[in-house]
Amino acid sequence: WYQMTGTFSLDDTYESAQRVLLRFWQPTALDYIIDDVSIVSEKTEVPSTMPSQFPSPLPVPTYSPLPTPDLSNLALLKPAEQSSINHDSGPEKAVDGNTDGIWSNGSVMHTFGGNNFWVVNLLSPSYISVIKVYNRLDFGQEYLNNFELEILNEKQEILHSEVFNGNKPTVVEFSLRPIVIGQYVRIRSETILMLAEVEVYGWVPPSAEIPSTSPTGIPTKAGFCFSGGTQVFVENTGPVLMKNLKVGDRILTGNNKFQSIYSFGHRDEGSIAEFLQFLPSGLEISKDHMVFVERRGAIPASLVIVGDQLVGGSTVSEIRSIYRRGVYAPFTISGTLVVNGVTCSSYVALQESSRLRIGKWESPFSLHWMSHAYLTPHRIWFSWVSEKERVNDNGLSVWSESSFRAAQWLLKQDPLRILCLVTPLLLVLFLFVSLEMLISGSIALNGIPLLLFGFCAVRFVSRETNRSKTKARQHQYKHKILS
């Protein structure tokens, strides 16, 4: 097969042409995919000497074909899942780029029991031409004698299915004719699955491909969002793409419980935004959005480095900067959600830190907690008053955006003014948090420790405020004496 994209031009003008016939001749038995055909014409004045009939012979069209796209392994390091995990051999081992089928070398995924599956998410609809499945070599090759290969679209609807029946295969290759446009590749088996690698060869169509650098002439947006191709786990449904979520869906959160999405801080399907992509989890998150990291807490995604252990996920092996179309930021009651297996915050960090910084002083308050407490009135309103959310033309929640702007203004003030404003703000936030816990019925378990912590925290901030005021007065007095 090959792909040809080009422009055909006719050098002659025809006076009486009422219809244009385009004939695409296929010289081989392979299939063509024609995405679009357009005709551009220009009306001109016909000279009196113009012949009334077509010239003979007809001119030969000329074309300028673009180069054939190179096939690449689209599954490499993409997010994958499997029905069960045996011997700590998870789904990522089948997309790590290593086809070694020897178990002791540590690159073979393993399930247990019957009715198993393994699936990889290519993150966008892609042209799929060839799929190679590499078997384990040192034991149990017969487990791959019978299995089913499925290709699914972005809604996880089956587009193509093939059944393999063989005898202890080493590598099984599927050549797809015609080429299939899909986003998920799934392997099903009634027995144990032990795969060394799954390679999916093809290319991403131009309509879905976003350049790795900022697109020229296309406005891009940043914010507190995830890309639409990331996945969350919905109760009684399973993995669902971020872009297919809706208010009311009960999704897996950081406390390993399912909670409802009560609102979206941002939802814009058309805008292009920059994301950081963490591999091998495939998490795609804006740089200021917070993600939970072992021993570091909730930090902005921009502070994550290679080697960090993401909470609930794997160790970060590579970080890429990518652009995607569509931005999504669902809010849950706990302020957390699990995306691509990684525990993430629902909120954005306004500082490059895990804790609130005032000047050179680092407070004991995490930015995640501050954001969560700051939106307590928002959650109470949606839980007990109204579920209607006002959004602006950019898909931003009016409530969330106004809170975001106010917090930005606050943090731009001088340290003394921030301390003076934060002290009463903290008191108000603790009152709202206590009210929320009282309404939800959890005040008996958490209310007393929270209030004690709040009292100590407010006293601490008040002491620092008084200390700063004292230093300021001493500085003014000393300045007066010197002058």
Side-chain angles (χ1 to χ4, degrees):
W1 63 272
Y2 64 94
Q3 183 191 40
M4 180 175 68
T5 304
T7 302
F8 294 78
S9 61
L10 294 174
D11 297 330
D12 295 270
T13 305
Y14 305 111
E15 175 188 9
S16 58
Q18 301 294 325
R19 183 175 60 183
V20 176
L21 173 65
L22 295 179
R23 175 176 294 173
F24 293 87
W25 175 60
Q26 184 173 310
T28 68
L30 301 182
D31 296 282
Y32 277 74
I33 297 176
I34 300 174
D35 284 331
D36 184 47
V37 175
S38 60
I39 299 175
V40 179
S41 61
E42 181 180 356
K43 186 175 181 179
T44 59
E45 218 33 64
V46 180
S48 57
T49 57
M50 184 75 180
S52 59
Q53 299 197 353
F54 294 132
S56 182
L58 291 175
V60 178
T62 60
Y63 63 90
S64 54
L66 296 177
T68 301
D70 295 327
L71 290 183
S72 60
N73 180 12
L74 303 176
L76 182 64
L77 300 177
K78 292 295 172 49
E81 295 182 5
Q82 63 191 49
S83 54
S84 59
I85 298 178
N86 201 9
H87 303 298
D88 294 326
S89 296
E92 71 280 355
K93 294 193 174 185
V95 288
D96 61 0
N98 187 355
T99 61
D100 189 347
I102 305 301
W103 173 261
S104 59
N105 293 335
S107 185
V108 178
M109 57 77 66
H110 199 313
T111 64
F112 61 84
N115 297 320
N116 287 289
F117 73 85
W118 178 93
V119 60
V120 61
N121 180 5
L122 305 181
L123 299 180
S124 64
S126 307
Y127 290 108
I128 302 174
S129 175
V130 176
I131 298 175
K132 294 182 179 181
V133 181
Y134 293 80
N135 197 4
R136 178 178 176 176
L137 300 180
D138 55 349
F139 173 78
Q141 285 181 276
E142 65 276 5
Y143 285 123
L144 205 60
N145 283 353
N146 303 282
F147 69 91
E148 185 175 8
L149 174 76
E150 297 173 338
I151 299 177
L152 303 88
N153 62 14
E154 63 274 16
K155 297 180 180 179
Q156 300 191 36
E157 300 167 335
I158 298 176
L159 304 175
H160 178 84
S161 177
E162 290 189 41
V163 176
F164 173 80
N165 293 297
N167 183 25
K168 297 183 178 181
T170 301
V171 182
V172 181
E173 181 173 325
F174 297 88
S175 295
L176 305 176
R177 298 292 183 270
I179 294 171
V180 179
I181 303 178
Q183 182 166 324
Y184 296 86
V185 175
R186 184 166 62 195
I187 294 175
R188 290 186 177 274
S189 176
E190 295 182 357
T191 62
I192 294 172
L193 279 174
M194 294 184 291
L195 307 176
E197 191 75 8
V198 177
E199 297 175 339
V200 181
Y201 288 97
W203 76 95
V204 179
S207 59
E209 189 174 46
I210 302 297
S212 58
T213 57
S214 180
T216 304
I218 300 178
T220 60
K221 298 180 181 180
F224 39 98
C225 303
F226 302 93
S227 73
T230 52
Q231 285 187 337
V232 298
F233 201 89
V234 178
E235 188 176 30
N236 299 325
T237 301
V240 173
L241 290 179
M242 184 71 68
K243 65 181 180 182
N244 294 331
L245 290 178
K246 58 185 182 298
V247 172
D249 283 345
R250 291 179 56 82
I251 64 175
L252 188 64
T253 61
N255 54 10
N256 205 28
K257 295 180 180 179
F258 289 96
Q259 293 182 340
S260 297
I261 298 173
Y262 73 87
S263 176
F264 278 84
H266 197 183
R267 186 186 183 105
D268 189 350
E269 299 177 356
S271 65
I272 295 175
E274 181 181 9
F275 298 94
L276 295 178
Q277 183 187 68
F278 299 132
L279 299 176
S281 66
L283 174 65
E284 296 177 355
I285 185 172
S286 57
K287 65 183 181 68
D288 293 329
H289 203 110
M290 287 183 282
V291 59
F292 286 88
V293 178
E294 295 287 354
R295 297 182 299 277
R296 299 181 67 187
I299 63 174
S302 60
L303 297 184
V304 176
I305 60 176
V306 172
D308 276 343
Q309 175 71 37
L310 303 180
V311 174
S314 53
T315 301
V316 177
S317 61
E318 184 179 354
I319 302 174
R320 299 174 179 174
S321 178
I322 60 172
Y323 287 81
R324 300 287 190 203
R325 189 181 302 277
V327 291
Y328 307 85
F331 284 164
T332 64
I333 296 299
S334 67
T336 63
L337 65 162
V338 177
V339 184
N340 280 38
V342 177
T343 301
C344 301
S345 171
S346 295
Y347 312 119
V348 64
L350 295 177
Q351 298 176 320
E352 291 188 356
S353 170
S354 62
R355 298 183 181 275
L356 174 65
R357 289 182 177 272
I358 302 176
K360 296 181 179 180
W361 172 64
E362 184 178 84
S363 76
F365 307 105
S366 73
L367 292 177
H368 169 76
W369 183 90
M370 290 288 294
S371 299
H372 189 61
Y374 201 66
L375 287 178
T376 303
H378 187 237
R379 291 192 300 276
I380 294 176
W381 179 269
F382 269 80
S383 299
W384 297 94
V385 182
S386 173
E387 296 182 356
K388 293 182 179 180
E389 178 75 276
R390 291 177 56 203
V391 297
N392 61 19
D393 295 336
N394 295 321
L396 280 166
S397 159
V398 173
W399 193 317
S400 302
E401 184 186 25
S402 58
S403 301
F404 180 78
R405 301 301 179 199
Q408 279 186 320
W409 174 85
L410 174 63
L411 294 176
K412 289 180 180 179
Q413 308 306 309
D414 61 83
L416 180 59
R417 182 174 296 180
I418 292 176
L419 279 171
C420 294
L421 294 173
V422 162
T423 302
L425 175 62
L426 282 173
L427 181 59
V428 172
L429 291 180
F430 277 116
L431 291 175
F432 270 110
V433 170
S434 300
L435 176 62
E436 181 184 36
M437 295 170 66
L438 180 64
I439 293 174
S440 64
S442 60
I443 189 71
L445 294 176
N446 304 312
I448 294 176
L450 178 66
L451 290 175
L452 288 174
F453 174 76
F455 175 76
C456 296
V458 170
R459 284 207 59 183
F460 179 78
V461 174
S462 299
R463 186 180 64 187
E464 290 295 324
T465 303
N466 293 331
R467 184 181 299 174
S468 298
K469 289 180 178 178
T470 302
K471 287 183 178 180
R473 285 195 296 265
Q474 290 175 348
H475 178 74
Q476 292 176 355
Y477 180 72
K478 183 177 181 181
H479 180 71
K480 287 181 179 180
I481 293 177
L482 292 176
S483 60

